[in-house]
């Protein structure tokens, strides 16, 4: 895609087989994507913006609307790919770049899908706010990607800042900074303000598109009632700290019921990693206090980064809301166990699933499968499991024998598939990481969580078959496992991957193909890469 290319991206918020009701609308957006210097945390760096902003504009629409995004790519030397993250049902969703590490550079935003007129949520609130949580690196995506692809390996390390809806604060007195690069008085990096009226109830739609960090989010002195996760209503439960992983969205209800004479802190904090990144800070502003008036207290320090128990407890507490339960199939047709490991291949550091590190082919899978271009990607099926009896998930592995592949899982259309995500030790002693896994094109039931090695004989007996939550992103805790179930009912080719940017870049993902033969003729506008270069017609 050249710098002047304009493309239309169509996002349907309903099934195409359902006639649009009279009140449905077509909503048009015109976006220009380009690099601009921004100082979101007071440090000046190149960011990718949409119409001059990062995060980009929030897409607001109703169920059954059709959204048309006309996008002009002004990045000069880069393509643009935008993923409509999780769009299947009404609720709170995200969008973000899915090309290289562009998401880390700020190409992201939120999607809010409201119910049709006359319908209402099973909970009430007075006002609605969106809050996008991200981490922020000062190095360019090129520098980070080059380090990941080099020998010796250069890890991205911890981010310099945490942003709350695009705003953070880096310490400009840090030694070694070039003069003029950091300006603590720049209004661009003033704290994000969440203004509330005393005694009103607010729905906060909170999404995370961090590149690396899992987060805890809290509002000083206030409880939050969690009511929605990834677009699905859940049985309400109260938290002080909301644990949120990259790719997840939640709706929480917060009542402004504290002393109205002051403002309060809203805080994001890295968990799951021993991070050097300072907490992100915003101001929960009680009207009519001045929005820039700092709270009189020290910000909450948040939970311990390595305390897994409350994070696991939050996942286990989530159940589908009564009346909104969509029961899962009681059995599955196929079980795929995926061991997440860190590996080396020919001296390069990689991440792998069942000892296979994913490589993206030059030719798009959808066209390759549809037109039987079998030579453009590996045809050997990836494994459905690993040698679980002999693999020690708690020991540092000698993972020098991994292989890279572009092979895909072929799923029988309408079959029910179980995925078991198993975490293990990395190539560092006594270290296992938290991974958020995201599935394109589907929602899945979260059947259960566990610590240690998954037992295929006993652990499935503990699955929640009654009221499991449906999500599109789920966390896997250190040395633990997470089980999910989905129906392969969406014709296409779909990625399933760790939502940590660097991990997916290094091969931590797989691809599912289902029912491609059911698809009609694809538009020639999606051709032009790999062996499809000659397919495009004027």
């Amino acid at each position: 895609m050249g710098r002047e290319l304009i493309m239309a991206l169509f996002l349907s918020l309903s099934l195409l087989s359902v006639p649009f009701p009279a009140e449905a609308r077509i909503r048009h957006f015109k976006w220009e994507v380009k690099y601009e210097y921004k100082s979101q945390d007071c440090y000046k760096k190149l960011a990718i913006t949409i119409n001059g902003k990062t995060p980009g504009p929030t897409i607001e629409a109703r169920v059954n609307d059709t959204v048309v995004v006309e996008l002009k790519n002004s990045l000069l030397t880069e393509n643009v790919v935008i993923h409509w993250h999780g769009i299947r049902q009404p609720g709170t969703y995200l969008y973000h770049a899915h090309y290289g590490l562009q998401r880390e550079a700020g190409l992201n935003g939120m999607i809010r899908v409201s119910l049709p007129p006359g319908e209402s949520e099973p909970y009430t609130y007075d006002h609605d706010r969106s809050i996008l949580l991200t981490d922020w690196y000062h190095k360019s995506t090129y520098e980070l990607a080059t380090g990941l692809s080099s020998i010796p390996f250069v890890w991205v390390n911890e981010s310099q800042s945490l942003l709350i809806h695009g705003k953070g604060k880096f310490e400009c007195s840090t030694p070694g900074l070039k003069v003029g690069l950091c300006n603590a008085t720049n209004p661009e990096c003033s704290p994000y303000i969440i203004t509330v009226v005393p005694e009103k109830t607010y729905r906060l739609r909170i999404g995370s598109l961090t590149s690396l960090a899992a987060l805890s989010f809290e509002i000083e002195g206030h409880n939050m009632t969690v009511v929605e996760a990834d677009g699905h209503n859940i049985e309400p439960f109260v938290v002080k700290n909301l644990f949120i992983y990259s790719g997840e969205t939640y709706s929480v209800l917060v009542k402004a019921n504290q002393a109205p004479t002051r403002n309060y802190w809203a805080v994001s904090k890295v968990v799951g990693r021993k991070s050097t990144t300072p907490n992100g800070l915003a101001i929960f502003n009680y009207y009519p206090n001045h929005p820039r008036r700092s709270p009189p207290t020290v910000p909450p320090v948040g939970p311990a980064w390595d305390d897994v128990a409350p994070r696991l407890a939050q996942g286990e507490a989530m159940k589908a809301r009564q009346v909104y339960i969509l029961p899962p199939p009681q059995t599955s047709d196929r079980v795929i166990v995926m061991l997440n490991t860190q590996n080396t291949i020919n001296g390069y550091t990689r991440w792998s699933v069942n000892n296979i590190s994913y490589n993206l082919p030059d030719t798009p899978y959808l066209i390759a499968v549809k037109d039987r271009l079998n030579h453009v990607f590996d045809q050997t099926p990836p494994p459905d499991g690993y040698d679980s009896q002999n693999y020690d998930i708690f020991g540092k592995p000698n993972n020098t024998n991994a292989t890279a592949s572009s092979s895909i899982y072929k799923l029988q259309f309408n079959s029910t598939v179980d995925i078991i995500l198993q975490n293990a030790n990395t190539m560092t002693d006594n270290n296992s990481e938290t991974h958020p896994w995201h599935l394109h094109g589907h929602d899945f039931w979260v059947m259960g969580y566990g610590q240690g090695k998954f037992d295929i004989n006993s652990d499935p007996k503990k699955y929640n078959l009654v009221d499991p939550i449906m999500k599109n992103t789920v966390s896997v805790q250190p040395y633990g496992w997470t089980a999910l179930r989905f129906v392969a009912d969406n014709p296409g080719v779909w990625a399933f991957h760790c939502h940590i940017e660097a991990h997916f870049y290094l091969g931590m993902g797989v691809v599912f193909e289902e029912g491609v033969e059911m698809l009609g003729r694809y538009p020639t506008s999606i051709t032009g890469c790999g062996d499809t270069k000659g397919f495009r017609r004027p």
Side-chain angles (χ1 to χ4, degrees):
M1 301 176 192
R3 80 180 266 222
E4 295 302 328
L5 178 64
I6 297 177
M7 61 181 177
L9 307 174
F10 294 87
L11 170 60
S12 176
L13 303 181
S14 67
L15 296 177
L16 295 180
S17 60
V18 179
F20 290 157
E23 63 270 13
R25 292 176 53 188
I26 298 177
R27 299 179 187 266
H28 289 266
F29 296 86
K30 285 192 174 184
W31 289 358
E32 183 178 10
V33 174
K34 63 181 178 180
Y35 276 108
E36 295 184 80
Y37 281 106
K38 291 291 182 181
S39 300
Q40 291 182 274
D41 67 346
C42 306
Y43 183 93
K44 183 179 179 181
K45 68 158 281 186
L46 278 177
I48 300 179
T49 63
I50 299 176
N51 297 345
K53 296 181 178 180
T54 174
T58 295
I59 293 176
E60 297 191 42
R62 289 188 182 276
V63 172
N64 291 321
D65 287 351
T66 297
V67 175
V68 180
V69 179
E70 187 178 301
L71 186 146
K72 179 181 180 182
N73 179 7
S74 297
L75 294 182
L76 304 180
T77 60
E78 297 178 50
N79 294 340
V80 171
V81 175
I82 293 181
H83 170 49
W84 312 111
H85 183 111
I87 281 293
R88 288 277 281 183
Q89 300 287 339
T92 305
Y93 298 98
L94 305 163
Y95 67 85
H96 60 83
H98 226 304
Y99 182 85
L101 301 181
Q102 286 179 348
R103 193 181 90 217
E104 182 275 332
L107 182 47
N108 49 51
M110 299 193 74
I111 304 173
R112 289 166 44 165
V113 184
S114 56
L115 293 171
E119 296 186 30
S120 60
E121 305 284 5
Y123 42 85
T124 59
Y125 50 91
D126 300 298
H127 301 285
D128 202 332
R129 301 278 191 272
S130 294
I131 302 174
L132 183 59
L133 306 177
T134 52
D135 44 17
W136 194 241
Y137 287 86
H138 291 170
K139 286 185 177 180
S140 71
T141 57
Y142 295 103
E143 291 176 278
L144 297 174
T146 299
L148 295 173
S149 306
S150 298
I151 299 176
F153 179 72
V154 182
W155 176 235
V156 297
N157 291 316
E158 304 304 307
S159 64
Q160 280 64 60
S161 298
L162 295 180
L163 306 183
I164 298 180
H165 216 72
K167 290 178 174 288
K169 184 73 73 172
F170 181 70
E171 182 50 66
C172 288
S173 62
T174 300
L177 293 183
K178 283 186 178 180
V179 176
L181 271 185
C182 197
N183 179 5
T185 63
N186 190 330
E188 195 176 342
C189 59
S190 58
Y192 182 64
I193 308 297
I194 309 164
T195 299
V196 297
V197 174
E199 297 306 318
K200 297 294 184 180
T201 298
Y202 290 80
R203 177 184 184 178
L204 304 182
R205 300 173 186 255
I206 303 171
S208 173
L209 283 175
T210 52
S211 299
L212 176 64
L215 298 175
S216 164
F217 178 80
E218 68 178 293
I219 299 172
E220 179 191 10
H222 294 74
N223 287 329
M224 296 178 284
T225 303
V226 187
V227 293
E228 177 224 338
D230 288 1
H232 293 275
N233 293 318
I234 63 176
E235 279 296 311
F237 65 96
V238 177
V239 298
K240 177 185 176 184
N241 304 95
L242 176 72
F243 296 105
I244 183 168
Y245 305 88
S246 180
E248 288 190 317
T249 61
Y250 290 98
S251 284
V252 301
L253 302 182
V254 180
K255 187 170 184 178
N257 58 4
Q258 298 301 300
T261 55
R262 50 162 291 196
N263 292 335
Y264 298 81
W265 294 110
V267 182
S268 63
K269 178 187 178 172
V270 176
V271 293
R273 307 184 61 83
K274 192 174 183 180
S275 178
T276 56
T277 309
N279 292 354
L281 298 176
I283 294 177
F284 199 67
N285 164 231
Y286 269 70
Y287 182 84
N289 294 298
H290 194 283
R292 305 290 180 206
R293 181 182 172 190
S294 290
T297 51
V298 175
V301 297
W305 71 269
D306 57 351
D307 189 357
V308 175
R311 288 186 273 146
L312 195 59
Q314 177 180 298
E316 292 172 336
M318 282 191 283
K319 311 294 181 187
R321 189 164 185 141
Q322 297 298 313
V323 183
Y324 294 86
I325 297 172
L326 181 61
Q330 297 297 288
T331 59
S332 63
D333 302 301
R334 185 176 180 182
V335 178
I336 303 174
V337 182
M338 295 185 175
L339 176 70
N340 303 326
T341 58
Q342 201 176 37
N343 303 69
T344 58
I345 301 177
N346 299 324
Y348 291 92
T349 298
R350 302 283 293 180
W351 278 91
S352 301
V353 174
N354 293 341
N355 226 31
I356 305 293
S357 186
Y358 172 69
N359 265 356
L360 184 70
D362 294 329
T363 303
Y365 281 115
L366 185 64
I367 299 172
V369 174
K370 182 75 173 170
D371 289 353
R372 297 185 175 87
L373 305 178
N374 294 335
H375 63 285
V376 302
F377 67 92
D378 297 341
Q379 294 299 302
T380 302
D384 276 14
Y386 70 105
D387 184 7
S388 60
Q389 282 191 328
N390 297 313
Y391 193 95
D392 178 13
I393 67 167
F394 299 101
K396 178 182 174 182
N398 180 24
N399 282 346
T400 56
N401 59 342
T403 58
S405 175
S406 58
S407 61
I408 63 177
Y409 287 93
K410 295 181 180 294
L411 306 179
Q412 183 178 345
F413 189 69
N414 266 338
S415 65
T416 299
V417 181
D418 279 3
I419 303 294
I420 315 300
L421 295 163
Q422 175 71 66
N423 270 355
N425 206 93
T426 66
M427 291 192 297
T428 302
D429 286 320
N430 302 313
N431 177 65
S432 181
E433 300 193 9
T434 301
H435 298 287
W437 276 80
H438 170 59
L439 177 60
H440 291 209
H442 305 76
D443 289 329
F444 50 73
W445 290 273
V446 181
M447 305 304 290
Y449 301 89
Q451 295 176 299
K453 187 185 291 186
F454 177 79
D455 187 319
I456 200 165
N457 296 311
S458 62
D459 285 325
K461 298 174 183 177
K462 307 171 191 173
Y463 286 174
N464 178 4
L465 295 169
V466 179
D467 55 358
I469 181 65
M470 294 196 78
K471 296 183 97 272
N472 60 66
T473 304
V474 70
S475 64
V476 192
Q477 300 300 335
Y479 301 112
W481 58 266
T482 300
L484 57 94
R485 178 171 292 176
F486 70 97
V487 178
D489 60 356
N490 193 1
V493 182
W494 307 105
F496 180 48
H497 63 93
C498 177
H499 216 261
I500 293 174
E501 282 274 71
H503 289 179
F504 186 38
Y505 182 85
L506 293 170
M508 196 174 189
V510 300
V511 172
F512 297 126
E513 180 262 309
E514 63 203 58
V516 168
E517 68 280 356
M518 301 174 63
L519 295 174
R521 183 67 187 167
Y522 54 79
T524 59
S525 60
I526 71 171
T527 64
C529 296
D531 278 18
T532 70
K533 286 181 179 178
F535 288 16
R536 183 170 292 192
R537 299 288 182 267

